[in-house]
Short mmCIF file of all heavy atoms in Angstrom, two decimals:
data_model
loop_
_atom_site.label_atom_id
_atom_site.label_comp_id
_atom_site.label_asym_id
_atom_site.label_seq_id
_atom_site.Cartn_x
_atom_site.Cartn_y
_atom_site.Cartn_z
N ALA A 234 111.29 93.73 83.29
CA ALA A 234 109.93 94.31 83.64
C ALA A 234 108.73 93.30 83.59
O ALA A 234 107.84 93.22 84.35
CB ALA A 234 109.61 95.54 82.83
N GLU A 235 108.82 92.52 82.46
CA GLU A 235 107.68 91.60 82.27
C GLU A 235 107.70 90.45 83.22
O GLU A 235 106.69 90.04 83.84
CB GLU A 235 107.63 90.97 80.79
CG GLU A 235 106.69 89.96 80.62
CD GLU A 235 105.30 90.45 80.61
OE1 GLU A 235 105.09 91.68 80.57
OE2 GLU A 235 104.38 89.50 80.77
N VAL A 236 108.89 89.92 83.60
CA VAL A 236 109.09 88.85 84.57
C VAL A 236 108.65 89.37 85.99
O VAL A 236 107.98 88.67 86.76
CB VAL A 236 110.45 88.39 84.56
CG1 VAL A 236 110.61 87.33 85.69
CG2 VAL A 236 110.66 87.59 83.16
N LEU A 237 108.96 90.64 86.25
CA LEU A 237 108.60 91.24 87.56
C LEU A 237 107.24 91.38 87.61
O LEU A 237 106.52 91.05 88.65
CB LEU A 237 109.33 92.67 87.73
CG LEU A 237 108.96 93.45 88.82
CD1 LEU A 237 109.25 92.74 90.18
CD2 LEU A 237 109.51 94.71 88.90
N ARG A 238 106.54 91.70 86.54
CA ARG A 238 105.00 91.98 86.61
C ARG A 238 104.45 90.59 86.82
O ARG A 238 103.48 90.64 87.77
CB ARG A 238 104.53 92.48 85.17
CG ARG A 238 103.12 92.79 85.08
CD ARG A 238 102.66 92.99 83.78
NE ARG A 238 102.78 92.04 82.89
CZ ARG A 238 101.96 90.96 82.70
NH1 ARG A 238 100.87 90.80 83.55
NH2 ARG A 238 102.06 89.87 81.83
N ARG A 239 104.84 89.60 86.14
CA ARG A 239 104.17 88.29 86.34
C ARG A 239 104.64 87.78 87.83
O ARG A 239 103.63 87.11 88.38
CB ARG A 239 104.83 87.36 85.37
CG ARG A 239 104.32 87.57 84.00
CD ARG A 239 104.96 86.69 82.98
NE ARG A 239 104.51 87.08 81.59
CZ ARG A 239 104.38 86.14 80.51
NH1 ARG A 239 104.73 84.96 80.77
NH2 ARG A 239 103.96 86.61 79.48
N ALA A 240 105.72 87.95 88.35
CA ALA A 240 106.17 87.47 89.64
C ALA A 240 105.29 88.22 90.67
O ALA A 240 104.80 87.56 91.62
CB ALA A 240 107.55 87.62 89.91
N GLU A 241 105.05 89.43 90.45
CA GLU A 241 104.20 90.19 91.62
C GLU A 241 102.79 89.74 91.60
O GLU A 241 102.30 89.80 92.70
CB GLU A 241 104.34 91.72 91.18
CG GLU A 241 105.65 92.39 91.54
CD GLU A 241 105.68 93.79 91.00
OE1 GLU A 241 105.01 94.19 90.15
OE2 GLU A 241 106.55 94.47 91.64
N THR A 242 102.27 89.19 90.55
CA THR A 242 101.00 88.58 90.54
C THR A 242 100.85 87.12 90.85
O THR A 242 99.76 86.62 91.13
CB THR A 242 100.21 88.88 89.12
OG1 THR A 242 100.88 88.16 88.18
CG2 THR A 242 100.16 90.35 88.90
N THR A 243 101.86 86.41 90.88
CA THR A 243 101.87 84.98 91.06
C THR A 243 102.62 84.48 92.31
O THR A 243 102.33 83.27 92.72
CB THR A 243 102.33 84.23 89.84
OG1 THR A 243 103.64 84.57 89.53
CG2 THR A 243 101.57 84.42 88.63
N LEU A 244 103.45 85.28 93.00
CA LEU A 244 104.09 84.83 94.11
C LEU A 244 103.68 85.31 95.40
O LEU A 244 103.81 86.42 95.80
CB LEU A 244 105.73 85.26 93.95
CG LEU A 244 106.70 84.78 95.14
CD1 LEU A 244 106.62 83.32 95.23
CD2 LEU A 244 107.97 85.45 94.71
N PRO A 245 102.89 84.41 96.07
CA PRO A 245 102.16 84.83 97.34
C PRO A 245 103.24 84.90 98.62
O PRO A 245 104.20 84.26 98.56
CB PRO A 245 101.12 83.80 97.68
CG PRO A 245 101.63 82.60 96.77
CD PRO A 245 102.54 83.09 95.70
N PRO A 246 102.90 85.74 99.50
CA PRO A 246 103.85 85.90 100.64
C PRO A 246 104.14 84.65 101.46
O PRO A 246 105.26 84.54 102.12
CB PRO A 246 103.12 86.95 101.55
CG PRO A 246 102.04 87.57 100.68
CD PRO A 246 101.74 86.70 99.60
N GLN A 247 103.21 83.74 101.40
CA GLN A 247 103.42 82.47 102.26
C GLN A 247 104.58 81.66 101.76
O GLN A 247 105.02 80.70 102.40
CB GLN A 247 102.18 81.71 102.32
CG GLN A 247 101.65 81.09 101.19
CD GLN A 247 100.51 82.05 100.61
OE1 GLN A 247 100.49 83.10 100.73
NE2 GLN A 247 99.56 81.34 99.95
N TYR A 248 105.26 81.95 100.59
CA TYR A 248 106.39 81.21 100.07
C TYR A 248 107.66 81.84 100.34
O TYR A 248 108.73 81.56 99.83
CB TYR A 248 106.19 80.97 98.57
CG TYR A 248 105.00 80.04 98.12
CD1 TYR A 248 103.82 80.51 97.51
CD2 TYR A 248 105.06 78.69 98.49
CE1 TYR A 248 102.86 79.76 97.23
CE2 TYR A 248 104.04 77.88 98.26
CZ TYR A 248 102.97 78.34 97.65
OH TYR A 248 101.87 77.50 97.26
N ARG A 249 107.61 82.90 101.22
CA ARG A 249 108.77 83.62 101.45
C ARG A 249 109.40 83.42 102.89
O ARG A 249 108.47 83.27 103.87
CB ARG A 249 108.55 85.17 101.33
CG ARG A 249 108.32 85.56 99.91
CD ARG A 249 108.04 87.11 99.86
NE ARG A 249 107.85 87.51 98.50
CZ ARG A 249 108.82 87.72 97.67
NH1 ARG A 249 110.06 87.46 98.00
NH2 ARG A 249 108.60 88.04 96.44
N GLY A 250 110.55 83.53 103.13
CA GLY A 250 111.21 83.65 104.50
C GLY A 250 111.97 82.37 104.81
O GLY A 250 112.18 81.54 103.94
N GLU A 251 112.36 82.21 106.09
CA GLU A 251 113.16 81.07 106.49
C GLU A 251 112.63 79.78 106.13
O GLU A 251 111.34 79.54 106.44
CB GLU A 251 113.27 81.28 108.03
CG GLU A 251 114.16 80.19 108.69
CD GLU A 251 115.66 80.51 108.52
OE1 GLU A 251 116.01 81.79 108.33
OE2 GLU A 251 116.49 79.68 108.50
N GLY A 252 113.37 79.00 105.53
CA GLY A 252 112.75 77.57 105.08
C GLY A 252 112.00 77.54 103.95
O GLY A 252 111.39 76.51 103.63
N MET A 253 111.74 78.64 103.33
CA MET A 253 110.73 78.79 102.12
C MET A 253 111.50 78.85 101.04
O MET A 253 112.71 79.22 100.92
CB MET A 253 109.78 79.86 102.42
CG MET A 253 108.92 79.83 103.67
SD MET A 253 108.03 78.23 103.81
CE MET A 253 106.81 78.38 102.55
N PRO A 254 110.92 78.71 99.74
CA PRO A 254 111.64 78.72 98.47
C PRO A 254 112.14 80.01 98.08
O PRO A 254 113.13 80.18 97.36
CB PRO A 254 110.63 78.34 97.46
CG PRO A 254 109.56 77.68 98.19
CD PRO A 254 109.58 78.13 99.50
N PHE A 255 111.64 81.19 98.54
CA PHE A 255 111.91 82.48 98.21
C PHE A 255 112.34 83.29 99.54
O PHE A 255 111.57 83.26 100.62
CB PHE A 255 110.87 83.28 97.47
CG PHE A 255 110.54 82.54 96.32
CD1 PHE A 255 109.57 81.67 96.12
CD2 PHE A 255 111.26 82.97 94.98
CE1 PHE A 255 109.18 80.92 94.98
CE2 PHE A 255 110.97 82.22 93.89
CZ PHE A 255 109.95 81.25 93.86
N GLY A 256 113.20 84.21 99.43
CA GLY A 256 113.60 85.08 100.59
C GLY A 256 112.66 86.22 100.72
O GLY A 256 111.82 86.45 99.88
N ASP A 257 112.76 87.02 101.81
CA ASP A 257 112.04 88.17 101.97
C ASP A 257 112.40 89.13 100.91
O ASP A 257 113.47 89.11 100.32
CB ASP A 257 112.24 88.77 103.32
CG ASP A 257 111.59 87.83 104.42
OD1 ASP A 257 110.57 87.20 104.25
OD2 ASP A 257 112.39 87.73 105.47
N ILE A 258 111.40 90.02 100.49
CA ILE A 258 111.67 91.04 99.66
C ILE A 258 112.81 92.03 100.09
O ILE A 258 112.75 92.42 101.25
CB ILE A 258 110.37 91.83 99.32
CG1 ILE A 258 109.35 91.00 98.66
CG2 ILE A 258 110.60 93.18 98.47
CD1 ILE A 258 107.91 91.53 98.52
N VAL A 259 113.71 92.32 99.31
CA VAL A 259 114.84 93.25 99.47
C VAL A 259 114.27 94.65 98.99
O VAL A 259 114.07 94.73 97.76
CB VAL A 259 116.16 92.90 98.94
CG1 VAL A 259 117.15 94.02 99.25
CG2 VAL A 259 116.59 91.50 99.45
N PRO A 260 114.16 95.61 99.77
CA PRO A 260 113.58 96.98 99.39
C PRO A 260 114.56 97.56 98.21
O PRO A 260 115.83 97.55 98.35
CB PRO A 260 113.63 97.94 100.64
CG PRO A 260 113.64 96.99 101.75
CD PRO A 260 114.39 95.80 101.33
N VAL A 261 113.95 97.97 97.20
CA VAL A 261 114.69 98.61 96.07
C VAL A 261 113.85 99.90 95.62
O VAL A 261 112.68 99.75 95.57
CB VAL A 261 114.76 97.62 94.87
CG1 VAL A 261 115.47 98.29 93.71
CG2 VAL A 261 115.53 96.33 95.37
N PRO A 262 114.53 100.99 95.35
CA PRO A 262 113.80 102.09 94.83
C PRO A 262 112.91 101.91 93.71
O PRO A 262 113.31 101.06 92.77
CB PRO A 262 114.84 103.15 94.60
CG PRO A 262 116.05 102.76 95.28
CD PRO A 262 115.91 101.21 95.30
N GLU A 263 111.68 102.56 93.69
CA GLU A 263 110.83 102.26 92.53
C GLU A 263 111.25 102.72 91.31
O GLU A 263 110.86 102.23 90.24
CB GLU A 263 109.52 103.10 92.90
CG GLU A 263 108.73 102.42 94.00
CD GLU A 263 107.29 103.05 94.15
OE1 GLU A 263 106.78 103.67 93.17
OE2 GLU A 263 106.74 102.95 95.27
N ASP A 264 112.24 103.64 91.25
CA ASP A 264 112.86 104.09 89.93
C ASP A 264 114.09 103.43 89.49
O ASP A 264 114.73 103.74 88.45
CB ASP A 264 113.07 105.62 90.01
CG ASP A 264 114.12 106.04 91.12
OD1 ASP A 264 114.53 105.18 91.93
OD2 ASP A 264 114.63 107.08 91.04
N ALA A 265 114.49 102.25 90.20
CA ALA A 265 115.63 101.47 89.91
C ALA A 265 115.30 100.65 88.61
O ALA A 265 114.14 100.48 88.22
CB ALA A 265 115.86 100.44 91.03
N PRO A 266 116.34 100.23 88.00
CA PRO A 266 116.14 99.32 86.79
C PRO A 266 115.25 98.09 87.13
O PRO A 266 115.36 97.55 88.31
CB PRO A 266 117.60 98.90 86.31
CG PRO A 266 118.43 100.00 86.90
CD PRO A 266 117.82 100.42 88.24
N ALA A 267 114.52 97.70 86.12
CA ALA A 267 113.68 96.58 86.37
C ALA A 267 114.38 95.22 86.74
O ALA A 267 113.88 94.43 87.65
CB ALA A 267 112.78 96.25 85.13
N ILE A 268 115.57 95.09 86.44
CA ILE A 268 116.33 93.99 86.84
C ILE A 268 116.63 94.02 88.37
O ILE A 268 116.71 93.09 89.13
CB ILE A 268 117.60 93.68 86.01
CG1 ILE A 268 118.12 92.35 86.34
CG2 ILE A 268 118.57 94.71 86.19
CD1 ILE A 268 117.18 91.19 85.73
N ASP A 269 116.91 95.19 88.83
CA ASP A 269 117.18 95.39 90.35
C ASP A 269 115.92 95.17 91.12
O ASP A 269 115.89 94.59 92.11
CB ASP A 269 117.80 96.82 90.51
CG ASP A 269 119.22 96.97 90.10
OD1 ASP A 269 119.80 96.01 89.52
OD2 ASP A 269 119.68 98.13 90.13
N ARG A 270 114.80 95.80 90.59
CA ARG A 270 113.49 95.62 91.19
C ARG A 270 113.02 94.02 91.30
O ARG A 270 112.63 93.56 92.26
CB ARG A 270 112.46 96.45 90.58
CG ARG A 270 112.72 97.89 90.93
CD ARG A 270 111.61 98.91 90.30
NE ARG A 270 111.83 98.87 88.99
CZ ARG A 270 110.91 98.80 87.95
NH1 ARG A 270 109.54 98.52 88.33
NH2 ARG A 270 111.12 98.78 86.66
N LEU A 271 113.39 93.35 90.13
CA LEU A 271 113.13 91.99 90.10
C LEU A 271 114.06 91.21 91.05
O LEU A 271 113.47 90.37 91.85
CB LEU A 271 113.29 91.35 88.71
CG LEU A 271 113.13 89.94 88.57
CD1 LEU A 271 111.86 89.44 88.99
CD2 LEU A 271 113.52 89.53 87.15
#
């Protein structure tokens, strides 16, 4: 949960997608465990 909180505030969308360091967000239910949401 703590890592997710930090990632959500520091990882901007321009670093996601094809050829970028991070993939697109995979939808996960809001009530899923924090590790799944991360």
Side-chain angles (χ1 to χ4, degrees):
E235 178 61 18
V236 172
L237 175 59
R238 183 190 67 78
R239 291 179 186 205
E241 288 174 333
T242 61
T243 60
L244 180 57
Q247 63 262 32
Y248 292 111
R249 295 183 175 281
E251 186 77 28
M253 301 307 291
F255 298 92
D257 293 322
I258 295 172
V259 175
V261 177
E263 287 185 29
D264 62 347
I268 195 66
D269 287 356
R270 290 181 288 130
L271 175 61

